[in-house]
């Protein structure tokens, strides 16, 4: 027998090692394509593209408060100096004239291809006179410091024209030479990270560097009274990840200790405690392996949700150890395993319905749960008996069992009360059916209202692009995409002038289309013609035409060099800015994303969608409200999940009908599960909680766990006696479930709390209602025993 146990263990170990090898080479992703349908629309593709790679997803906003204006400005300048020298930031702006100094030479070299001011009129006598005069006037301003060393090469001020378009729209106000908030009480910085917004590890590193720069800046300046506030998509993503990880670790430790103490009190064996982990670990690994092999990519959300789903595997080990420990392994296989197997099948069918979803995320969730639950059950059935051996013993807990039996004997008296409650719950849910579910994705966010308000305030102070709105255009090639962006930009410029929007970003400002560049270069006159025009234009001007030979030489060099390519920007912040907004799709096409800024006086930083859509009509550009699009997509996602769950419940009902072979028994079991789910939904809604995706997962878990309780308590109706081991195992399984999920209910993280407040009470309700509605009256059991 010992050799058999060793063989089984080695087979299990070999399979686990093979699974680990698959997992090691699996691709995991945490992006929002989990919520995308199999065939997403253009708006939906733009949504995920912006969240993953877009410019807005890389923005970090810094607010320096406290102290006085001079102190805040000094800290701001020192932070910009440190961060601008760090390769992890492609842009660090605080309003200083030298903010783009690192790109000045590149802008100077390509100024005639980049400058929006270059046209034939600019190089006429009048155009030259006006441009040079404006440049000379600009020299006396702080911004002129950037231009002064290159006056003889750029007397028309093309570099400043370029810089002006790189920061279009409403600009923040300036206090102490740096950007400041609207009320002037905070210095402001706007950062753009090199790493993608979807790279949470990279964002975390960048955020650490911002904090380090602030600490060093305060020490270097001696202004320790100032404070710093940080916001942006990357900050929220990192903060949410850290909060969830911290909460999950803390709560898991608390619940694990509590569950281990309960199980040790029941088992009185460290060996059984350790062996009880085998089904759970096996199910988790099998779920990941199957999803990886079938889908190629495993969503992090799948693993998170699925791990909660196969928490039912803990119950399988409890059933086996307690029931087999009281009546023997052979008796467990013959008497109890068929009931457990039926419970496993109901769970597998329920979650298996998700396999038919048009959303890959839901299909993965169904495959993960189905594989995990079935694997855990099979390991319990075939591996645990071999490892525990025939001498499995669990101490008797007579007092507990006697108390359970006494309660069962009286539970049937509450049946009519349960029916009355069911009527009330049904009426309430029907009445409130339109307000039960929350279509707002923010319900899943761990960002607090205060943090969201601070983000909106800082975005308004900086006139930063909003993470919500963008315009997207597509084309077969990069040149076509840039031309389309320029056409869309012309229409957006009109909206900026009208005050409909505050501004927008475009890759065409950093890399104009070849067509646009060539038109600008064609505006440049030949050397002799330019020299003659300068002589006439600058008569009596402070700047002599004779000193502008470097300017004439640069103009001729630009004519000869031709248009600028993407390769000419390689290694610069300009190249990264282009790449963040000009994306090469997997289908070979190109997509341009133009993030929009709301108008300064817009209510709640909103942009009127009808005006944008009307302005862009016929241009091929698409206006996307990411928040509205995501919430619509999320609502569709939840609706499909609910529909498939109902299909799963129908399949479960058919399976139970075939297995129980009794309309009365079937009705009792289904009525019990439905009432448990309905009571939880009603209680949550009465408490002011709107249901979302995590609550739906929790309701599915109630059905999965509750079906086991109902089937065990239904056994006397089928002529099988209910022994003390069964009652004890059910009590322990319920207690561990309530502890495990009830602990999550105390979490401050919405996604964890949602599962906790659903499954914890739901599991207990499922057991109590099964006792009331499913377990037969003692008189009926006695009558059957007499027969």
């Amino acid at each position: 027998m010992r050799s058999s146990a060793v063989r089984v263990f080695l087979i299990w170990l070999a399979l686990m090692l093979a699974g680990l090898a698959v997992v090691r080479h699996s691709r995991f992703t945490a992006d929002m394509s989990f919520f995308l349908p199999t065939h997403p629309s253009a708006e939906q593709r733009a949504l995920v593209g912006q969240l993953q790679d877009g410019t807005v997803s890389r923005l970090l906003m810094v607010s320096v408060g406290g102290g006085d204006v001079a102190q805040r400005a000094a800290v701001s300048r020192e932070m910009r100096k440190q961060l601008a020298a760090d390769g992890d930031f492609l842009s660090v702006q605080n309003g200083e004239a030298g903010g783009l100094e690192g790109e000045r030479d590149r802008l100077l070299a390509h100024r005639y291809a980049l400058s929006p001011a270059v046209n034939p009129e600019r190089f006429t006598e009048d155009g030259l006179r006006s441009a040079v005069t404006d440049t000379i006037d600009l020299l006396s301003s702080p911004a002129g410091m950037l231009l002064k060393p290159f006056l003889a090469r750029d007397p028309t001020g093309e570099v400043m024209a370029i810089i002006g378009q790189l920061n279009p729209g409403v600009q923040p106000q300036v206090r102490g030479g740096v950007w400041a908030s609207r009320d002037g009480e905070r210095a402001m910085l706007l950062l753009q990270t090199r790493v993608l917004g979807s790279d949470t590890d990279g964002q975390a590193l960048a955020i650490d560097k911002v904090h380090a720069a602030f600490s060093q800046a305060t020490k270097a300046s001696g202004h320790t009274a100032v404070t710093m506030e940080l916001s942006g998509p990357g900050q929220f993503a990192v903060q949410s990840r850290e909060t969830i990880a911290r909460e999950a670790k803390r709560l898991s430790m608390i619940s694990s200790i509590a569950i281990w103490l309960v199980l040790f009190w029941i088992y009185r064996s460290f060996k059984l405690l350790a062996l009880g982990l085998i089904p759970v670990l096996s199910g988790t690994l099998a779920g990941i392996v199957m999803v990886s092999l079938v889908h190629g990519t495993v969503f992090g959300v799948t693993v998170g949700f699925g791990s909660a789903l196969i928490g039912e595997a803990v119950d399988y080990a409890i059933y086996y150890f307690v029931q087999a420990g009281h009546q023997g392994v052979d008796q467990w296989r013959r008497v109890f395993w068929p009931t457990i197997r039926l419970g496993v099948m109901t769970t597998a069918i329920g979650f298996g319905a998700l396999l038919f979803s048009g959303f890959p995320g839901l299909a993965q969730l169904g495959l993960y749960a189905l594989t995990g639950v079935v694997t855990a059950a099979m390991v319990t059935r075939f591996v645990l008996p071999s490892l525990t051996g025939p001498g499995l013993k669990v101490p008797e807990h007579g007092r507990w069992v006697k108390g359970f039996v006494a309660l069962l004997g009286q539970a049937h008296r509450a049946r009519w009360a349960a029916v009355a409650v069911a009527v009330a719950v049904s009426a309430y849910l029907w009445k409130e059916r339109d307000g039960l579910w929350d279509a707002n994705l923010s319900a899943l966010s761990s960002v607090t209202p205060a943090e969201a308000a601070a983000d909106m305030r800082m975005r308004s102070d900086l006139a930063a692009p909003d993470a919500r709105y963008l315009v997207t255009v597509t084309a077969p090639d990069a040149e076509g995409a840039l031309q389309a962006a320029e056409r869309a930009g012309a229409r957006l410029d009109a909206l900026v002038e009208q005050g409909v929007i505050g501004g927008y970003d475009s890759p065409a400002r950093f890399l104009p289309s070849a067509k646009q560049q060539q038109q600008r270069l064609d505006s440049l006159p030949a050397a002799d013609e330019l020299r003659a025009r300068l002589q006439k234009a600058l008569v009596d001007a402070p700047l002599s035409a004779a000193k502008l030979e470097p300017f004439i030489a640069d103009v001729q060099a630009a004519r000869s060099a031709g248009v600028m390519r993407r390769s000419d920007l390689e290694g610069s912040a300009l190249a990264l800015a282009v790449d963040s907004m000009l994306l090469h799709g997997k289908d070979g096409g190109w997509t341009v994303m133009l993030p929009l800024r709301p108008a300064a006086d817009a209510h709640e930083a909103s942009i009127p969608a009808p005006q944008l859509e009307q302005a862009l009509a016929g241009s091929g550009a698409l206006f996307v409200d990411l928040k509205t699009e995501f919430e619509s997509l999320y609502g569709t996602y939840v609706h499909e999940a609910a529909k498939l769950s109902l299909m799963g419940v129908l399949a479960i009902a058919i399976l139970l009908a075939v297995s129980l072979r009794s309309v009365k028994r079937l009705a009792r079991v289904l009525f019990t599960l439905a009432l448990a789910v309905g009571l939880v939904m009603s209680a949550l809604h009465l408490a002011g909680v709107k249901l979302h995706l995590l609550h739906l997962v929790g309701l599915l878990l109630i059905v999965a766990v509750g079906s086991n309780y109902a089937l065990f308590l239904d056994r006397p109706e089928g002529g099988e006696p209910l022994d003390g081991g069964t009652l004890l195992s059910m009590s322990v399984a319920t207690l561990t479930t309530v502890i495990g999920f009830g602990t999550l209910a105390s979490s401050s993280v919405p996604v964890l709390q949602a599962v906790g407040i659903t499954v914890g009470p739901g599991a207990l309700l499922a057991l109590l209602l099964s006792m009331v509605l499913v377990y037969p009256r003692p008189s009926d059991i006695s009558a059957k025993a007499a027969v």
Side-chain angles (χ1 to χ4, degrees):
M1 191 68 181
R2 182 175 178 81
S3 61
S4 175
V6 171
R7 185 168 57 252
V8 169
F9 175 76
L10 291 177
I11 292 174
W12 171 83
L13 182 61
L15 291 174
M16 292 300 100
L17 291 175
L20 288 173
V22 173
V23 171
R24 182 180 179 183
H25 295 91
S26 297
R27 179 175 178 268
F28 293 84
T29 180
D31 62 51
M32 300 311 295
S33 56
F34 177 88
F35 292 98
L36 275 184
T38 303
H39 303 290
S41 65
E43 293 90 343
Q44 292 162 354
R45 286 194 298 269
L47 166 67
V48 173
Q50 179 65 13
L51 292 174
Q52 290 178 328
D53 307 323
T55 302
V56 174
S57 69
R58 303 181 183 194
L59 292 182
L60 291 174
M61 299 174 290
V62 179
S63 170
V64 178
D68 57 30
V69 171
Q71 292 173 339
R72 295 192 294 267
V75 172
S76 173
R77 283 191 288 269
E78 183 61 26
M79 288 184 67
R80 192 203 68 78
K81 179 181 177 181
Q82 293 182 39
L83 296 174
D86 193 310
D88 284 345
F89 297 91
L90 67 87
S91 174
V92 181
Q93 302 177 55
N94 70 341
E96 289 185 276
L100 282 168
E101 193 167 347
E103 302 299 331
R104 182 176 57 186
D105 292 343
R106 201 176 299 264
L107 296 179
L108 188 69
H110 300 289
R111 62 189 181 276
Y112 297 111
L114 288 171
S115 174
V118 172
N119 55 44
E121 289 73 24
R122 191 168 184 80
F123 291 90
T124 62
E125 292 179 21
D126 291 340
L128 288 168
R129 183 183 303 109
S130 176
V132 172
T133 300
D134 290 343
T135 301
I136 293 173
D137 292 341
L138 188 63
L139 291 177
S140 60
S141 69
M145 297 299 295
L146 181 66
L147 178 62
K148 191 172 183 179
F150 301 96
L151 179 61
R153 294 181 59 189
D154 188 25
T156 56
E158 306 307 338
V159 170
M160 297 309 299
I162 296 169
I163 292 175
Q165 78 157 0
L166 297 186
N167 298 296
V170 178
Q171 294 295 301
Q173 64 171 313
V174 176
R175 296 284 181 91
V178 299
W179 283 340
S181 59
R182 291 180 180 276
D183 59 10
E185 296 299 319
R186 298 174 300 280
M188 308 297 299
L189 296 93
L190 183 63
L191 320 176
Q192 189 173 357
T193 63
R194 181 180 295 273
V195 298
L196 300 178
S198 57
D199 183 355
T200 313
D201 290 334
Q203 290 291 325
L205 179 60
I207 289 170
D208 288 342
K209 290 186 175 183
V210 174
H211 284 286
F214 174 73
S215 178
Q216 293 176 20
T218 54
K219 290 179 181 178
S221 63
H223 304 315
T224 57
V226 298
T227 59
M228 186 189 76
E229 189 175 14
L230 187 64
S231 190
Q235 165 72 2
F236 289 149
V238 172
Q239 181 178 287
S240 296
R241 185 183 69 171
E242 292 176 349
T243 301
I244 292 174
R246 183 175 62 251
E247 282 281 277
K249 182 178 180 180
R250 179 180 67 86
L251 296 174
S252 295
M253 182 177 296
I254 294 173
S255 62
S256 296
I257 291 174
I259 290 173
W260 288 341
L261 289 174
V262 170
L263 293 180
F264 185 73
W265 177 61
I266 296 297
Y267 300 155
R268 309 291 170 87
S269 168
F270 288 109
K271 175 184 176 181
L272 296 186
L273 277 177
L275 291 177
L277 295 176
I278 291 180
V280 179
L281 296 177
S282 302
T284 302
L285 185 59
I288 296 175
V289 168
M290 185 60 72
V291 171
S292 178
L293 293 176
V294 173
H295 292 272
T297 299
V298 183
F299 291 117
V301 183
T302 299
V303 178
F305 287 3
S307 296
L309 296 178
I310 65 170
E312 185 179 357
V314 176
D315 292 353
Y316 298 153
I318 293 172
Y319 293 145
Y320 169 69
F321 289 145
V322 176
Q323 293 165 359
H326 282 192
Q327 298 196 16
V329 176
D330 292 337
Q331 181 74 353
W332 179 82
R333 285 172 174 163
R334 185 181 65 82
V335 176
F336 297 102
W337 170 248
T339 303
I340 296 175
R341 181 178 58 201
L342 181 57
V344 172
M345 292 173 65
T346 60
T347 302
I349 288 176
F351 289 113
L354 299 180
L355 293 173
F356 301 99
S357 172
F359 291 86
L362 275 181
Q364 278 199 20
L365 189 61
L367 180 61
Y368 185 103
L370 187 155
T371 305
V373 168
V374 172
T375 299
M378 292 299 100
V379 169
T380 301
R381 168 64 178 81
F382 295 104
V383 178
L384 288 189
S386 297
L387 297 180
T388 55
L392 174 61
K393 294 292 182 183
V394 172
E396 297 285 347
H397 294 271
R399 176 181 294 183
W400 193 351
V401 173
K402 288 180 181 178
F404 201 157
V405 171
L407 186 60
L408 272 176
Q410 301 299 319
H412 67 279
R413 299 182 183 277
R415 284 184 178 175
W416 286 111
V419 172
V421 169
V423 173
V425 166
S426 300
Y428 178 78
L429 292 178
W430 177 259
K431 178 177 177 292
E432 301 293 333
R433 63 189 182 278
D434 294 331
L436 288 174
W437 296 93
D438 193 345
N440 193 333
L441 191 65
S442 62
L444 299 178
S445 174
S446 59
V447 177
T448 66
E451 291 168 340
D455 181 81
M456 183 177 295
R457 184 194 71 234
M458 294 171 70
R459 200 172 295 280
S460 176
D461 288 339
L462 284 164
D466 197 293
R468 175 175 177 177
Y469 303 103
L470 75 149
V471 169
T472 177
V473 292
T474 58
D477 52 50
E479 172 65 14
L482 289 170
Q483 290 184 24
E486 289 165 346
R487 291 193 296 270
R491 303 197 182 196
L492 293 175
D493 287 336
L495 295 180
V496 173
E497 293 178 3
Q498 298 168 18
V500 176
I501 59 175
Y504 66 95
D505 288 335
S506 172
R509 289 177 173 147
F510 305 90
L511 179 65
S513 66
K515 179 182 178 181
Q516 177 73 273
Q517 291 184 56
Q518 192 59 57
Q519 289 176 352
R520 291 170 179 172
L521 296 178
D522 289 344
S523 302
L524 303 177
D528 292 341
E529 181 64 24
L530 179 58
R531 189 176 290 109
R533 293 178 185 179
L534 283 172
Q535 290 287 346
K536 296 179 181 178
L538 300 183
V539 174
D540 298 328
L543 184 62
S544 169
K547 296 180 178 181
L548 298 183
E549 285 300 320
F551 165 56
I552 297 173
D554 280 3
V555 169
Q556 302 317 304
R559 295 181 63 190
S560 302
V563 301
M564 179 181 66
R565 304 293 180 183
R566 164 61 182 78
S567 57
D568 295 320
L569 301 177
E570 195 64 48
S572 70
L574 302 179
L576 292 173
V578 170
D579 294 343
S580 68
M581 290 182 280
L582 178 62
L583 308 177
H584 193 192
K586 295 179 181 178
D587 58 355
W590 291 78
T591 300
V592 171
M593 294 184 181
L594 312 176
L596 306 180
R597 296 178 176 86
D601 57 352
H603 177 63
E604 295 185 351
S606 61
I607 289 180
Q611 288 182 258
L612 261 294
E613 291 169 349
Q614 182 178 357
L616 296 172
S619 68
L622 185 67
F623 170 69
V624 181
D625 180 342
L626 296 183
K627 181 175 182 292
T628 300
E629 187 65 33
F630 209 165
E631 289 181 353
S632 173
L633 184 62
Y634 172 71
T636 304
Y637 192 92
V638 174
H639 176 75
E640 177 163 308
K643 180 180 69 175
L644 291 172
S645 298
L646 291 176
M647 292 175 58
V649 170
L650 178 60
I652 289 173
I654 294 173
L655 173 64
L656 291 176
V658 173
S659 301
L660 298 178
R661 300 179 182 180
S662 167
V663 174
K664 178 182 176 182
R665 294 170 65 190
L666 174 66
R668 284 182 175 178
V669 171
L670 294 179
F671 181 68
T672 298
L673 298 178
L675 182 54
V677 169
L679 277 171
V680 171
M681 292 176 65
S682 300
L684 291 176
H685 192 263
L686 285 170
V689 177
K690 281 196 171 185
L691 306 181
H692 53 67
L693 182 61
L694 272 298
H695 294 109
L696 178 60
V697 172
L699 295 175
L700 287 172
L701 265 172
I702 292 173
V703 174
V705 174
S707 63
N708 290 298
Y709 303 155
L711 290 173
F712 273 122
L713 288 170
D714 173 72
R715 288 176 60 225
E717 280 284 8
E720 300 175 6
L722 196 63
D723 65 292
T726 302
L727 296 177
L728 180 61
S729 64
M730 290 173 57
S731 301
V732 175
T734 305
L735 182 58
T736 56
T737 300
V738 171
I739 291 174
F741 288 99
T743 306
L744 295 180
S746 64
S747 174
S748 60
V749 178
V751 294
L752 298 178
Q753 185 192 54
V755 175
I757 62 177
T758 305
V759 182
L764 183 58
L765 277 173
L767 176 64
L768 296 176
L769 290 173
S770 296
M771 293 166 58
V772 172
L773 297 168
V774 176
Y775 188 72
R777 291 176 295 184
S779 58
D780 294 338
I781 297 176
S782 300
K784 289 183 179 180
V787 173

